Amino acid sequence: MHLDDESANEILLVPAEEIHRRLSKYGVSREQTNDNSVVNPIDDRFGFCARGREFENAATNHRYTGQERQMLGAYESLEYLPSHSDVYKKWLKKNPPHNGWQQWLMMCLIGFAVGLIGFLLHQTIDLIADFKWKYAKDLLKQSIESGSSMAMVWVWVMCFSCVLVLISTGLVVFFRPQAASSGIPELMGFLNGTVVRHIFNIKTLIIKFLSCILCVSSGMPVGPEGPMIHIGSLVGAGLSQFKSDTMNFKLPCFERFRNFEDRRNFISAGAAAGVASAFGAPVGGLLFSMEEVSSFWNMKLSWQIFCCAMVSSFTTALFNSAFSGFQYQGAFGAFKSEEYILFKVKNGLSINILTFIPAAILGVIGGLTGALFTFLNLKIVKARRNLLARIKNKVTQHIIRLGEPIVIMVISATLSVFLPSLFSCNPFICIKEGEEISTNCWNSSVNLLHTDPDVVAYTCPYDASAEGLQLRGNYTWTNRTYNEMATLVFGTTENAIHQLFSRSTHKQLSYLPLLVVLLIYSLMACWAAGTSISSGILVPMLFIGGLYGRFIGVIMVAMFGVHTHPKSYWLWMDPGAFALVGAASFFGGVSRLTMSLAVIMIEMTNDVQFLLPIMAAIMVSKCVGDFFTHSYYLALMELKCIPYLDSEPVVNCNGKRVSLELHCAADIMSSPPVVVHVRESIIYLADLLLNTNHGGFPVVRKSANGEEVFFGFINRLQLAVMLKHPKLFTNIQNDDDGEISEEIQHPQLTLDKLEKPDLIEEMLLRYTHNNEFKDLYINLEPYVNQSAVSIPGKFSLERAYITFRTMGLRHMTVVDENNHVVGVITRKDLMGFNMEEKLSSKIGLAQSREDLIMLLDD
């Protein structure tokens, strides 16, 4: 028997005789867990660092427990291309292919909508965050003038932030749990061909938008870029369809796009637009969508998504040029580099071949720390899931979900207010021409070394008036001071990243503040990722990498001195440059992105000179990270048991890599198959839908010599729709007798879930128990996918995998030399762990047979 949602040998959590008790929206008897339920496999007996679990290199397949395999089986799959049936071809004749301009128009609409949402999102976050920190600094100033403690500052920061986090978490917990985290793993799974419930819902869009604004502006160690990618895909999924099941409306516009192929393409475009809007990186958005989230690609789609990303980035930049905090600035359309480029680097540096040595070192550090971050986060997520699963009371579960982000926020707020008080004040510095470093020097017209004027004073003396600056010759002197730790933590993460990336500020930040913030922020970000808030880790990744990159840069400066002369061979030895390379290395160590990451880093900093060192660090970090763990988003999909087919299959047996070219499709297919005939009994079809979990069935018909040969494929949802139309029923059983009655049109069959499944189940039970349907049949021929892919049993397993994934198939039928159906290959059959088990059994049997022959020969 073949299963679309699990292999035949998987362990069921419900008795087989009870499998028909309920028919779900997706046509199967087992459905994905409810929104608020917590499912934790209790059969996990693996050790803390067991290979194949959280600790697994890129060449190792994830090992699933029996219950985790059932969780895999709760996910349905989707076919990328529409069913090529007779009704589909007739519908095409009546509805000629749309002109290309319609797709281009939709891409532009999606880009504009995502760009506008990105503008609203970031403007609101900045408005709330600026208000919070401005008032905190006012309270701090009052406490300094009055000589009182900083208790009021702490109370304000903590209370204001906790209220925002509480609302952010409450929206997710009570209204849409699917809006939690970044949503990128679920997006990747869907675009790979797996149905994940509620991730493309207007309610999810609204909750994700609001929750992201509140949690990011509160000061949680999270970022908005991940949710922005999910929001972009939500816009692509909804806007292209011009309908909403939640709001119960369907507009008569762009109806040709209501198919899985176009919908997935627009979702990919929306994800790219989200990156373009968040980072100001349209080319990076295109490459991100191609490299990370999308599984199906072609050249035309590249052009269209490039256009969509360009429009998104343009829209965000256009509105940002005219508005700041939603106040009109009067410069509409003037794209200022400080606003258009997210982390603009003002001073470019020349590099030489020696630059690649520290870049490689940072790449190694990025790979190690990225793998460690991924490993620890997965362990925290599992511990959280285990704790919630042990608590049966829903109210208690909700309290824990609400309380966890608040605890993180209390710790973060407390550290941001009081931690800087443990560090002393530093004077501004610069270099006098031909002399050593001078203190109390604001800047110099003859040397680039300076202290960034945007550093945070905290409680340090800071004369902000004009008298605080005195011009003497080529130098501007000042008595102002600042606090290094406050510069990193007493403000927004984006401002801290600006300080880390700043150039010609070699002495601005020292070892201890960088190291302390690195350790604390890394742990807090690792803990916060996965809580019940809508947030991402892209900005935290940049900050963490920037911290240890700057730390290495400070060490280099201490060893080799300060070099700021424009013609210096060592000009590249700038801590700000090392921070940029470090940020790229940690980003790569966690996500394992390559092309897209390199382009995103350049587009959001405008530092083209450091492109090659950044690329080197990314490649090294990926190689090192792959040696220890899977990429962060792939590991999350495995933890959530979302079926996913990687671009290249990896199969190991007995510790050795197996060449799939040496094996055939018959080795891993599910058999014997359950087939249906072109004209099939109503009772038989109803029984199949009630008592099996198959996602579809091969259709056979009698050949001229009376043998049953493969004719096509039909999925279970289409059968359920057809059985709702009694006018299709006939008492004729023979394939060649009677006229073909056709009533159902193609749009009625292009659905991904059933409406009112309970009523359909009652109907199917009536068919199976009522004798009047005993001799009734239905003609399936007009609705069968006659272009369904079938392969011979001896077909190369490697090529079967490539064909299945490249074409976005849901089923692949295996036939013998006489075109008899002998098995079916599904997504679960092609997953690495399943192929390893089946091929290991085959190899083991073959080895035993060889040993027996040798023994008999002896």
Side-chain angles (χ1 to χ4, degrees), residues 2 30 47 81 98 217 355 433 448 662-663 742 794 805:
H2 72 277
R30 284 175 296 139
L81 297 175
H98 50 69
S217 60
T355 312
E433 188 173 9
L448 294 176
L662 299 177
H663 299 273
E742 178 186 330
K794 295 183 179 181
R805 189 183 186 277

Side-chain angles (χ1 to χ4, degrees), residues 417-659:
V417 172
F418 292 112
L419 192 59
S421 63
L422 302 178
F423 292 79
S424 60
C425 298
N426 290 5
F428 281 63
I429 60 171
C430 68
I431 295 181
K432 294 181 66 176
E433 188 173 9
E435 299 182 12
E436 295 295 328
I437 296 175
S438 299
T439 59
N440 300 323
C441 181
W442 179 262
N443 61 44
S444 168
S445 61
V446 295
N447 198 291
L448 294 176
L449 181 69
H450 67 289
T451 300
D452 194 289
D454 293 328
V455 292
V456 179
Y458 191 59
T459 57
C460 299
Y462 190 90
D463 186 359
S465 64
E467 289 75 14
L469 300 175
Q470 297 181 11
L471 179 62
R472 302 176 189 170
N474 294 324
Y475 310 100
T476 302
W477 301 89
T478 183
N479 60 357
R480 298 176 183 176
T481 56
Y482 70 99
N483 187 293
E484 294 183 28
M485 179 60 71
T487 300
L488 295 175
V489 300
F490 198 73
T492 64
T493 306
E494 285 77 6
N495 290 338
I497 294 175
H498 276 289
Q499 296 300 322
L500 292 174
F501 288 177
S502 61
R503 299 293 171 82
S504 301
T505 56
H506 299 59
K507 298 292 184 176
Q508 181 171 294
L509 298 170
S510 56
Y511 301 110
L512 189 58
L514 292 170
L515 183 60
V516 171
V517 176
L518 173 63
L519 295 175
I520 294 175
Y521 190 88
S522 297
L523 292 174
M524 299 303 292
C526 190
W527 183 9
T531 54
S532 297
I533 54 175
S534 176
S535 62
I537 63 168
L538 302 187
V539 166
M541 284 193 290
L542 295 175
F543 187 48
I544 293 171
L547 286 167
Y548 70 69
R550 184 101 189 181
F551 185 85
I552 297 296
V554 173
I555 293 177
M556 296 289 289
V557 169
M559 294 173 60
F560 301 104
V562 176
H563 300 275
T564 59
H565 193 280
K567 296 183 180 181
S568 173
Y569 186 79
W570 307 99
L571 186 63
W572 55 270
M573 203 176 292
D574 189 303
F578 285 103
L580 175 59
V581 177
S585 70
F586 187 73
F587 203 144
V590 175
S591 67
R592 314 294 156 80
L593 294 173
T594 53
M595 300 178 297
S596 58
L597 176 56
V599 174
I600 288 173
M601 295 300 297
I602 298 305
E603 287 188 291
M604 72 177 182
T605 61
N606 198 36
D607 193 4
V608 181
Q609 290 93 331
F610 261 75
L611 174 60
L612 291 178
I614 287 173
M615 293 173 66
I618 290 172
M619 290 302 300
V620 173
S621 68
K622 173 177 170 55
C623 294
V624 174
D626 282 344
F627 187 78
F628 295 99
T629 67
H630 289 176
S631 71
Y632 179 72
Y633 296 119
L634 177 58
L636 283 179
M637 280 195 291
E638 293 166 344
L639 184 65
K640 297 178 180 182
C641 299
I642 299 175
Y644 183 81
L645 296 182
D646 210 343
S647 57
E648 182 180 353
V650 176
V651 177
N652 301 290
C653 294
N654 301 323
K656 296 181 180 180
R657 182 74 174 267
V658 176
S659 173

Side-chain angles (χ1 to χ4, degrees), residues 822-841:
V822 295
V824 172
I825 295 177
T826 67
R827 174 176 298 271
K828 310 303 184 306
D829 294 320
L830 290 173
M831 291 186 70
F833 76 92
N834 188 62
M835 289 197 291
E836 284 183 349
E837 291 176 358
K838 291 187 176 182
L839 294 181
S840 295
S841 300

Side-chain angles (χ1 to χ4, degrees), residues 145-279:
E145 293 175 351
S146 62
S148 59
S149 66
M150 293 186 295
M152 287 303 299
V153 181
W154 175 74
V155 170
W156 162 253
V157 172
M158 187 192 66
C159 291
F160 185 80
S161 299
C162 287
V163 169
L164 295 179
V165 171
L166 180 62
I167 299 174
S168 173
T169 311
L171 290 172
V172 172
V173 171
F174 294 110
F175 295 101
R176 183 60 81 195
Q178 280 79 7
S181 299
S182 66
I184 294 178
E186 290 79 4
L187 172 62
M188 292 171 59
F190 181 87
L191 292 178
N192 192 254
T194 300
V195 179
V196 184
R197 51 180 284 156
H198 291 167
I199 63 167
F200 298 120
N201 185 285
I202 190 170
K203 190 175 179 181
T204 307
L205 172 62
I206 296 172
I207 298 301
K208 198 156 198 99
F209 179 80
L210 296 176
S211 177
C212 179
I213 288 175
L214 295 171
C215 71
V216 175
S217 60
S218 70
M220 283 279 285
V222 296
E225 282 72 17
M228 192 62 217
I229 295 171
H230 188 193
I231 288 173
S233 66
L234 277 159
V235 173
L239 189 60
S240 63
Q241 304 300 293
F242 271 82
K243 68 183 183 71
S244 171
D245 295 335
T246 303
M247 302 181 68
N248 195 27
F249 75 85
K250 182 184 294 187
L251 300 178
C253 303
F254 298 102
E255 296 182 66
R256 286 298 303 265
F257 295 149
R258 290 171 187 169
N259 59 78
F260 298 139
E261 179 184 9
D262 284 324
R263 189 167 184 245
R264 284 196 206 179
N265 291 342
F266 289 128
I267 289 172
S268 297
V275 175
S277 175
F279 291 108

